Amino acid sequence: MAEGRGGTITMAHGAGGSRMLDLLEEVVYPALGKSALPDGEDAAALLLDGAEPGFRLACTTDSFVVKPLFFPGGDIGKLAVCGTVNDLSMRGARPLYLTLGLILEEGLPREVLGRVLSSAGHWAERAGVRIVAGDTKVVEKGAADGMYINTAGVGIIPPGREVSIRGARPGDLLLVSGCVGDHETAVLSRREGFDFQVEVESDCAPLNALVETMLEVGEVHALRDPTRGGLAASLKEMASASGVSLEVREADIPVREGVRAFCEMLGLDPLLLANEGKLLAAVHPESAPAVLEAMRAHPLGREAAVIGSVLEGPRGRVSILTPLGSSRLLRMPSGEHFPRIC
């Protein structure tokens, strides 16, 4: 049964960890019945009657409730566009169109709305996508926290391209595109008033161009952007969905010093912190050197690193090799440390 006193929803159910999975499997999917086609992917890949042979449609949706609306390195408008573009990209799709639904709280300054939408438009242009439909609703003061945004995204998966969270194979190498934990650290530092000697900015960015570069030079089997639940959740999801185990070297995972300081201060694990402009990839070992080189040549992949490898089962097992030479098993995070970071 979905956890929560009296069977109610808790903040942990929206955190991207095990409690959210429980909610989906125990309440959401059964209630939707045969109308639902859950497959654990960031975006659905659909065949369309009459479409050019080999092409598939990718479709996704997302909602954004980040607090505060503006944070170092981004804002809710940028986050909405980049997050949706990235969900499509993790399926190997070329993002084309987005929708933008606004839920505005009575009393929100027009200047704030204008800044958020200007940012959304700028980043849509940067990502090469068009915002083709939208909706606006206003709720009473106190019924929201400034504004929320809902998006949908559509893209095309070219023929022969098969990238899936279920695609990791034994022997593949695991790559990350850069330092983990920047986004959640940036949002919390602004919201909670933490003062670091070196400010950490959100990594929020559209990853579609980086993914295209990777797919042009090598055989990429699986992709995931480690948002809620961080790199830890993405590793567990990939291992479980692909029916494999993963082995990761902790010392090879890039983490910025500001993020380390933040985690040490609060007793957090950087692998659990959300990212909005990073990806985890499972790559054929013969392709990995070329893919890594291409990533490091791209502005969003300069800090890319090989962090581990894919092994034969047991399914869903993720082991972390520590710098001291010991090993620990990674568990799926149950919830989030702090709510509303995306």
Side-chain angles (χ1 to χ4, degrees):
M1 184 68 188
E3 187 174 326
R5 293 180 181 176
T8 60
I9 300 299
T10 70
M11 296 301 290
H13 287 125
S18 61
R19 293 185 184 177
M20 191 182 81
L21 294 176
D22 290 343
L23 181 69
L24 293 175
E25 293 173 356
E26 296 170 4
V27 179
V28 176
Y29 297 150
L32 292 174
K34 294 182 179 178
S35 67
L37 292 172
D39 63 3
E41 304 282 359
D42 283 330
L46 307 171
L47 291 172
L48 293 180
D49 291 340
E52 189 173 341
F55 280 90
R56 288 176 294 164
L57 180 73
C59 180
T60 190
T61 187
D62 210 339
S63 297
F64 299 87
V65 297
V66 66
K67 179 183 179 181
L69 299 179
F70 300 90
F71 47 84
D75 56 79
I76 192 172
K78 178 182 179 182
L79 189 62
V81 169
C82 296
T84 310
V85 164
N86 293 346
D87 280 349
L88 293 169
S89 301
M90 296 306 107
R91 203 66 168 94
R94 292 171 179 161
L96 297 174
Y97 303 110
L98 305 183
T99 68
L100 205 65
L102 304 174
I103 300 174
L104 309 178
E105 182 185 22
E106 180 185 26
L108 179 73
R110 287 193 179 200
E111 178 270 341
V112 171
L113 176 60
R115 287 171 60 195
V116 168
L117 294 181
S118 293
S119 177
H122 170 78
W123 285 100
E125 187 173 345
R126 285 279 298 268
V129 297
R130 302 292 299 272
I131 298 173
V132 296
D135 183 51
T136 303
K137 296 289 192 300
V138 179
V139 297
E140 301 90 341
K141 192 171 184 60
D145 198 356
M147 65 182 297
Y148 304 143
I149 296 178
N150 174 263
T151 59
V154 173
I156 290 292
I157 303 175
R161 185 177 288 187
E162 187 53 62
V163 180
S164 166
I165 191 64
R166 293 171 293 187
R169 306 171 188 175
D172 284 353
L173 296 183
L174 297 170
L175 282 64
V176 293
S177 60
C179 293
V180 300
D182 292 357
H183 174 72
E184 187 159 349
T185 302
V187 170
L188 290 177
S189 65
R190 177 58 52 88
R191 188 165 85 200
E192 307 297 335
F194 296 125
D195 185 20
F196 299 108
Q197 290 184 338
V198 179
E199 184 178 74
V200 176
E201 291 195 346
S202 168
D203 58 352
C204 184
L207 294 170
N208 50 327
L210 176 63
V211 170
E212 285 295 321
T213 298
M214 296 168 63
L215 293 173
E216 285 174 3
V217 301
E219 190 175 331
V220 179
H221 294 149
L223 289 170
R224 196 69 148 188
D225 56 336
T227 54
R228 291 171 298 168
L231 183 62
S234 292
L235 288 166
K236 289 292 292 182
E237 289 165 352
M238 186 176 289
S240 179
S242 298
V244 297
S245 66
L246 307 180
E247 186 176 75
V248 176
R249 300 176 298 275
E250 188 172 13
D252 291 340
I253 300 172
V255 181
R256 218 170 295 287
E257 281 306 311
V259 174
R260 288 193 188 281
F262 172 80
C263 289
E264 289 173 1
M265 183 172 67
L266 298 181
L268 303 176
D269 184 343
L271 302 190
L272 300 177
L273 299 184
N275 312 269
E276 290 291 343
K278 297 296 181 337
L279 62 81
L280 167 70
V283 181
H284 190 287
E286 293 182 3
S287 294
V291 172
L292 182 64
E293 182 179 357
M295 293 172 76
R296 288 177 171 171
H298 191 281
L300 296 179
R302 290 191 183 118
E303 298 164 324
V306 179
I307 63 169
S309 56
V310 181
L311 309 174
E312 298 279 358
R315 177 178 190 154
R317 178 189 175 104
V318 179
S319 57
I320 305 286
L321 302 180
T322 73
L324 300 177
S326 60
S327 175
R328 63 182 172 93
L329 290 181
L330 188 67
R331 298 181 182 278
M332 173 66 91
S334 60
E336 61 190 338
H337 303 103
F338 301 94
R340 296 181 58 184
I341 42 81
C342 62

